[in-house]
Amino acid sequence: MADSTGQEPTEPGHTGAVAADPYDRIAWRDLYARSAALRELAAELAARHAHTTDLLADAFLAAYLAAPRVREAAEMAPSRRFNREVVAELAASPGFAALRRETAGDPYAAALAVLAEAPALRLLLDRTEPVREAADRAAEARRSAGRPARTAGETARQAGATAGALGAGATSADGAAGPASAPAAPAGQAASRAEAAARQALEAVAPGIRAAARTATAQAVRVTREEAALMRAWGVGHGELERMPYEERARLAERLRTGRLARWAELIGRFRQMADGERARKVENATGELIGVTLGDDLSRVLPSELAHLGLPELRAVFAARYAAGELMLYESRGEQTTGQGAVIACVDTSHSMYEEGPGGITREAWSKACALALLDQARHARRDFVGILFSAADKLQVFRFPADRPAPVERVLEFAETFLGGGTSYQRPLSAAAALLAEEFDTAARGRGDIVLITDDECGVTEQWTREWQEARHRLGFRLFGLAVGAPTATASGSVLEALCDNLRPIEDLTDVRAAADLFRLI
C-alpha cells in the first residue's frame, strides 16, 4: 500500500553490509564510473540476480576501508541479508588480512580484488538463487504489512515452500510453512514468518557461502599480489601508483601483463633484487682484506705499535714528525673503492641477433634490458644521472636520458625497454655518444668519474683514430667502461676489441644467471 506521499513503504534496515561514511561511498561510485570492467560485471550479474551491485560495493568497501565493520544481520534489510553473509565470510576468510595489505586505502587495488572475486561470487549466486528469492519475498511481506492478510499470507507460504525445497526445516515451530494457518494470520505475523523462513534458507547454504568466500579471497590475494609484484619489477613505486589516475593505471597494468614485456617481468625483478642486495653489501672506502703494512698518514689505519708512542711523552714529537712526513706504519688493505660520481650510461646492443633466445626462452635483448633497468635503479639510488643508449648499426642510435633530479616517468622507461632498432653492430657511435654526454656533464656540472656499461652479443672493429680520441677522453674525464658480452665468447677472448677497450669485462653465457653481473652493482 502506498503511503500519503504516493510512494511504496520502504524496506526497513540497511542495504549496505559494510558500515561506511559518505566519502567512502563516493570513492566507490567514482571508481565504478571510471571502471568499464566493474560496470560490465555489475550489468551481467544484475541481469540474472537482484541486489548484486550492492554486493559488489560491499566487497569493495571491505577491501578498501582501513577498518571495515560488517553490520549485524539484525541491522540489515531482509533482502540484503544474503549480501551481508557473503561479505562477513569474505572478511572472516584466512587470506583476508593478506588481501587487505595490498588493497587497504588503494581504490584501484580494491577494485582489482572485486574483479578477481567475481568468478567465485558468480557461481555462488547461481547456486543460491532460491535463497535470495526467499529474502525478497520476506522483504515484500514486510512492505505489504498494510495490505490484505490474504496477500501477505500467500507471500509467507511461498517463502516457506522455498525453505522446504532447500531442506531448511520448512515446518518450523511457529508454523512458517503451514499452508492453512498463514492466510488467517495478521499481516505482521505473516511477514515475520516469511523472514524466519528466509533466515532458515540462508542458514542452510551457509557452508557453501563460506567455501565460496574462501575461494574468492584466495583468488583476489593471488591477483593483487601478482600485479603488485609486476609493478615492483618495473620499478613503479606504491606512491607513484596511488597518484596515478585509474584509467592510466589500468592501461599500464594491461601493457605490462601482455606482449613481450610480460615475459621479462620475472627477470627484471630478479635483477632488481640482486642489485638491492649488492647495494646493501657495498661500502665506500671499504677496509677490505688486510694484505700487509705500508707507510702513510691515515690515522684510521695506524698500527697499535705506532699509537703506543703517544703514551710516552719523549716519543710524541717523533710520532708527530713521522705523521707530518707521511711515514707512519699503516695497515694495507685491498677492498672495493668509492663508486663514480658522474652519470651511469648503459649502451645496449639492439641488433637483430639480440632477438635470439637462450635458456628458459629468455632473449639476449630481455637479459640486456633487464640489466639496464637495474642500472637505472642503481643510478637513482646513488642520485646519479642515467642515460640509456640503444644502438645497432652506425646509423641507428636512440638516447634516453633520466636526470637524477627529476622523476623517471614510467612511460619513458617502458619506451626505453620496448624500443628495438635492428640491423648490425657498431661500437664507435654509441661509445662516442656516451663520452660526449660525460664531457657535457663534466663541463657544465664539474662531475667526472662516470661509468659506461656496454652490453653486446657481437664484436666489431674500431679505427685507430677513434681509439686515440677515446683514450684521450677517458684520461680527461676519468670514466670507466664495463663490458658484458652476452652469448659471444669470442668477444671476450684474449686480444679482442672489447678486452682492449674495457676496464672490466665478463662473458655472459647463462642468461638465467643474473648474478653474472653482480659485481657491476658493487662497483658502479
Side-chain angles (χ1 to χ4, degrees):
M1 177 184 296
D3 62 18
S4 58
T5 64
Q7 301 292 322
E8 282 289 322
T10 58
E11 184 183 2
H14 292 283
T15 58
V18 177
D21 62 38
Y23 295 103
D24 294 324
R25 296 204 173 271
I26 287 173
W28 158 252
R29 289 194 293 270
D30 180 66
L31 193 74
Y32 184 82
R34 293 173 178 273
S35 171
L38 278 178
R39 294 196 304 275
E40 290 170 5
L41 174 62
E44 175 205 339
L45 295 179
R48 300 158 59 189
H49 311 291
H51 319 307
T52 49
T53 302
D54 288 339
L55 176 59
L56 296 181
D58 285 331
F60 169 85
L61 292 169
Y64 172 69
L65 294 182
R69 181 181 74 83
V70 179
R71 290 190 169 99
E72 297 298 326
E75 300 178 69
M76 298 299 299
S79 63
R80 306 303 200 280
R81 284 177 184 163
F82 176 85
N83 288 0
R84 185 264 171 199
E85 292 306 311
V86 172
V87 175
E89 291 296 347
L90 286 173
S93 298
F96 190 69
L99 174 64
R100 286 183 32 76
R101 283 194 288 272
E102 304 291 345
T103 61
D106 186 341
Y108 174 90
L112 184 65
V114 173
L115 294 171
E117 291 165 349
L121 295 180
R122 186 183 294 113
L123 183 61
L124 175 65
L125 290 169
D126 288 342
R127 290 177 174 175
T128 57
E129 180 66 23
V131 178
R132 283 170 293 103
E133 288 176 352
D136 286 342
R137 292 190 187 105
E140 177 60 25
R142 182 57 64 187
R143 285 193 295 267
S144 302
R147 294 174 183 171
R150 183 180 59 80
T151 303
E154 181 62 26
T155 300
R157 279 203 307 275
Q158 292 175 357
T162 300
L166 291 165
T171 57
S172 60
D174 62 359
S181 60
Q189 184 180 0
S192 297
R193 289 173 176 172
E195 290 179 5
R199 283 196 299 271
Q200 290 173 351
L202 186 57
E203 290 170 2
V205 297
I209 294 176
R210 186 173 303 113
R214 292 188 176 194
T215 300
T217 302
Q219 178 69 1
V221 170
R222 184 185 67 79
V223 170
T224 54
R225 279 181 173 172
E226 285 180 356
E227 179 149 321
L230 183 66
M231 294 299 176
R232 285 194 299 270
W234 283 95
V236 186
H238 186 69
E240 184 178 358
L241 288 175
E242 287 188 335
R243 293 189 298 271
M244 197 176 291
Y246 178 87
E247 298 89 340
E248 182 181 344
R249 186 167 171 181
R251 286 194 300 270
L252 173 62
E254 181 65 19
R255 184 176 178 183
L256 295 181
R257 279 195 297 263
T258 58
R260 59 199 184 107
L261 294 183
R263 299 179 62 192
W264 297 3
E266 181 184 356
L267 183 64
I268 292 170
R270 287 166 56 200
F271 258 106
R272 290 184 184 273
Q273 290 173 5
M274 183 266 293
D276 284 343
E278 295 303 326
R279 275 195 295 273
R281 292 177 54 192
K282 182 170 63 176
V283 180
E284 293 191 355
N285 296 317
T287 303
E289 177 188 0
L290 294 177
I291 60 172
V293 175
T294 186
L295 298 179
D297 59 1
D298 186 350
L299 296 178
S300 67
R301 296 189 289 137
V302 174
L303 267 61
S305 59
E306 290 279 27
L307 291 174
H309 293 165
L310 293 175
L312 300 172
E314 60 272 21
L315 294 179
R316 288 174 185 169
V318 175
F319 181 93
R322 294 179 63 184
Y323 172 69
E327 295 179 352
L328 293 175
M329 288 191 294
L330 313 175
Y331 286 118
E332 184 178 8
S333 63
R334 177 174 57 206
E336 293 164 1
Q337 299 302 311
T338 309
T339 59
Q341 301 296 318
V344 177
I345 302 179
C347 298
V348 182
D349 187 349
T350 59
S351 59
H352 283 313
S353 57
M354 294 293 282
Y355 258 138
E356 293 184 14
E357 289 189 356
I362 299 172
T363 64
R364 297 172 181 179
E365 180 204 12
W367 195 96
S368 62
K369 295 282 184 63
C371 183
L373 291 175
L375 287 169
L376 168 59
D377 258 9
Q378 186 82 350
R380 300 199 74 76
H381 276 279
R383 296 181 177 84
R384 300 169 66 183
D385 291 352
F386 176 83
V387 181
I389 298 179
L390 304 181
F391 71 93
S392 57
D395 60 339
K396 293 186 177 181
L397 189 84
Q398 195 160 345
V399 178
F400 295 81
R401 304 184 71 162
F402 299 92
D405 59 352
R406 278 176 272 170
V410 64
E411 287 293 326
R412 187 66 170 163
V413 173
L414 292 179
E415 185 183 357
F416 169 60
E418 289 181 312
T419 300
F420 191 87
L421 303 178
T425 305
S426 170
Y427 292 166
Q428 290 187 186
R429 190 172 179 206
L431 291 179
S432 294
L437 289 168
L438 292 176
E440 177 187 342
E441 182 182 41
F442 182 79
D443 293 337
T444 59
R447 288 198 299 268
R449 296 169 56 217
D451 291 310
I452 303 171
V453 181
L454 176 64
I455 309 175
T456 183
D457 71 339
D458 201 358
E459 184 178 23
C460 62
V462 294
T463 67
E464 186 177 341
Q465 175 63 28
W466 180 88
T467 303
R468 282 198 298 268
E469 293 172 356
W470 170 260
Q471 295 298 349
E472 289 171 3
R474 180 150 62 173
H475 178 73
R476 183 171 77 92
L477 302 172
F479 61 75
R480 298 176 294 180
L481 175 61
F482 297 85
L484 297 177
V486 184
T490 58
T492 59
S494 178
S496 68
V497 173
L498 276 180
E499 185 191 43
L501 291 175
C502 295
D503 301 286
N504 186 306
L505 175 64
R506 85 234 29 247
I508 306 298
E509 296 301 326
D510 184 357
L511 300 187
T512 63
D513 181 15
V514 299
R515 300 206 64 82
D519 65 332
L520 282 178
F521 300 94
R522 290 197 303 272
L523 299 173
I524 292 178

